[in-house]
Amino acid sequence: MTDARTLGEMTPALRALRLLAAEYSHLPAPFVHLSPVDAARLELSLHDVDLTSDTFAVFEVWREALGIAPDSVIFRVQGNGRTRVLRAEGTFGGVEVALTAYADAPAADTTAVGGAA
């Protein structure tokens, strides 16, 4: 933790964000979080990207672009089973990067076994 006090002290994370914008401007935009508490960390999150894209597929594209290993991905469910979450961490442009994707869980199948009503 670096506990930056000025915008200039956040240069490592800002530089990594600039590299992302230059290299991957064609990818769907994630939410970006930078904090002066840790100037060497960049957090990217994807929230139901749009109605035509699978948020987890977009997560995979970003994970590959960032060079984060597939085996570092963690899956969990939150919100009483209503939200699926993928999370992975790695390094890009000299800073720690956390990539998180949130997607609605599919509705539970309520069809009775054997087609009985």
Side-chain angles (χ1 to χ4, degrees):
M1 190 174 313
T2 60
D3 199 18
R5 300 272 192 278
T6 68
L7 189 60
E9 290 172 308
M10 294 181 66
T11 299
L14 291 168
R15 184 177 298 122
L17 183 58
R18 182 177 176 192
L19 285 171
L20 286 175
E23 295 285 326
Y24 304 109
S25 61
H26 62 284
L27 295 181
F31 286 82
V32 176
H33 177 79
L34 300 166
S35 172
V37 174
D38 191 348
R41 184 171 178 82
L42 179 61
E43 295 185 22
L44 307 173
S45 61
L46 303 159
H47 302 262
D48 288 322
V49 177
D50 64 41
L51 297 176
T52 62
S53 297
D54 173 18
T55 301
F56 284 179
V58 174
F59 173 91
E60 271 303 297
V61 171
W62 270 109
R63 184 197 59 72
E64 288 179 11
L66 294 166
I68 298 174
D71 61 352
S72 71
V73 177
I74 298 169
F75 173 79
R76 63 186 169 92
V77 179
Q78 67 185 36
N80 291 328
R82 294 182 310 237
T83 304
R84 298 173 299 153
V85 181
L86 288 179
R87 183 169 176 87
E89 296 188 9
T91 303
F92 180 84
V95 300
E96 294 175 23
V97 177
L99 177 64
T100 308
Y102 302 92
D104 291 336
D109 185 4
T110 57
T111 305
V113 176

